[in-house]
């Protein structure tokens, strides 16, 4: 099968919109070697964007990131334009303007009468339907989505979105071109949120749900997802950075677009912040307080008690086997227990188990061990320095201190979660996996593209499906089923694709 080539480097690329995103896309195309036309309908905006780009690139030269010659050549390829007619000979026009359907439609209908019939059109829209944007064109097949992530020169991902009538040649050319520009380019069919904004919703909403239920404070939840889950930022700090209003608006759009599917339900806590004008870093307060003199928030850590000297390990630890090795290396005597029992660590009368999705109280009732403590998922048990622990109701008050002391021997701090089903890292990961699987099931993207998009677009330590398979898809399904049994609201229903894949 012949592979579609990218646009040749002598082909002119035009970008409409000289804001942060448009200027960034223009810089990416120019850095790849294309002549680039930058247009904005605001007087002087294109010229101002190039001036700012010159300053930013000069700083990179000073830091030794690029050469002065490379900067000069890049800027020489950039031309500010005064009117749409100046874009007539462009081979590709990328629109990066306000998220308003009527405005975007008007721009592309004007371009259709201005550019050649062979000119490809792309919209950088992050939330609007590509099919709807193209619907006013005489030839809607020439338009597709090219969704870059901010800042475009830094972020690796580009989602190429096929509208209902986008021609396959257009999609293939845009994919090849984005890859030629050094991007991780993934293909998505037109659907609300595309890949990343659809699949990523649980990263924010699961933590907010645990917080709403008084499972833990925000600093502790952020620390657990960052330290144990190895996500680059905790969800509360991240939404403060994005802007609570922007993040909530995306959640509300996706929720409404999927006809109030509970898997995408936004958070009332986040809505309250937006209503109060607490939008995050840009307003000085959000989940955290960024004002001068504000008291910082730190994760809560359980004070360890007296560490046990011995423990018994039942069953097959599997994923958390490195914990056993760390504890043994720290001088804890590890004795093998019953190989036919479910995997657990027993010491000083308490039973420590990896969360399976139910509450610790439910687990204690099922096993008959009142002093049951569940520990959370970690991306890498061999290196993690923090874990969440959740005790069963009615367990010995000293049990948590004993468990924290055990893990402290291996260099792991423990944070207390109230008896929350699935704790925080586990429930977040299985929900990310479930929504990625559902995107594959609905034909939005391939499993490979779902994983690549989340790694390149959000810097997750692993793709959601890849992570789920590492955990074991039967375990993922078990945790989801337990969560659904607990809440009984349809939010945690298992994707049919997961069921098929696990079988």
């Amino acid at each position: 099968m012949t592979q579609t080539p990218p646009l040749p480097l002598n082909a002119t690329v035009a970008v409409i919109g000289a804001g942060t995103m448009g200027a960034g896309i223009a810089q990416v195309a120019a850095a790849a070697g294309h002549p680039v036309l930058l247009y904005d309908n605001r007087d002087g905006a294109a010229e101002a964007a190039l001036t700012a780009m010159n300053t930013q690139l000069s700083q990179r030269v000073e830091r030794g990131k690029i050469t002065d010659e490379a900067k000069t050549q890049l800027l020489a390829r950039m031309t500010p334009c005064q009117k749409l007619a100046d874009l007539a000979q462009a081979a590709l026009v990328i629109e990066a303007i306000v998220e308003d359907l009527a405005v975007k439609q008007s721009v592309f209908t004007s371009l259709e009468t201005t550019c050649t019939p062979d000119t490809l059109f792309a919209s950088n829209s992050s939330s609007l339907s590509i099919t709807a944007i193209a619907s006013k064109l005489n030839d809607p097949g020439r338009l597709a989505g090219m969704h870059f992530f901010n800042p475009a020169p830094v972020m690796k991902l580009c989602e190429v979105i096929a509208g209902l009538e986008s021609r396959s040649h257009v999609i293939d050319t845009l994919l090849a071109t984005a890859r030629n520009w050094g991007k991780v380019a993934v293909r998505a069919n037109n659907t609300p949120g595309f890949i990343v904004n659809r699949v990523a919703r649980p990263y924010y909403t699961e933590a907010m749900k645990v917080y709403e239920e008084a499972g833990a404070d925000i600093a502790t939840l952020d620390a657990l997802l960052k330290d144990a889950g190895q996500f680059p930022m905790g969800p509360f700090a991240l939404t403060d950075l994005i802007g609570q209003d922007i993040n909530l608006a995306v959640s509300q759009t996706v929720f409404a677009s999927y006809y109030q599917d509970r898997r995408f339900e936004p958070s009332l806590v986040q809505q309250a912040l937006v209503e109060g004008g607490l939008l995050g870093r840009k307003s000085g307060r959000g989940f955290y307080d960024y004002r001068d003199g504000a008291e910082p928030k730190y994760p809560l850590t359980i004070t360890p008690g007296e560490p046990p000297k011995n423990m018994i390990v039942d069953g097959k630890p599997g994923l958390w086997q490195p914990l056993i090795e760390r504890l043994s290396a720290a001088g804890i005597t590890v004795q093998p227990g019953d190989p036919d029992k479910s995997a657990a660590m027993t010491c000083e009368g308490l039973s420590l188990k990896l969360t399976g999705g139910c509450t610790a109280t439910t687990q204690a009732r099922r096993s008959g061990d009142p002093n049951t403590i569940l520990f959370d998922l970690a991306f890498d048990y061999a290196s993690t320095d923090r874990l969440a622990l959740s005790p069963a109701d009615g367990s010995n008050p000293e049990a948590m201190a004993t468990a924290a002391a055990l893990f402290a021997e291996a260099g792991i701090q423990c944070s207390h979660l109230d008896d929350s089903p699935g704790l925080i890292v586990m429930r977040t990961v299985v929900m990310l996996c479930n929504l990625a699987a559902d995107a594959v099931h609905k034909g939005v993207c391939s499993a490979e593209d779902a994983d690549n998009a989340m790694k390149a677009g959000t810097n997750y330590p692993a793709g959601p499906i890849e992570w789920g398979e590492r955990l074991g898809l039967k375990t993922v399904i078990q945790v989801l089923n337990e969560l659904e049994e607990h809440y009984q609201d349809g939010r945690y229903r298992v994707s049919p694709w997961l069921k098929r894949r696990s079988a």
Side-chain angles (χ1 to χ4, degrees), residues 101-115:
L101 178 60
V103 173
K104 290 179 187 291
Q105 288 173 332
S106 175
V107 166
F108 281 113
T109 53
S110 296
L111 285 170
E112 194 171 35
T113 62
T114 300
C115 298

Side-chain angles (χ1 to χ4, degrees), residues 40 134 136 178 223 241 266 297 320 370 387 394 408 453 477:
D40 196 295
K136 301 297 183 181
L241 179 64
K297 295 180 179 178
W320 52 271
L387 278 176
I477 291 171

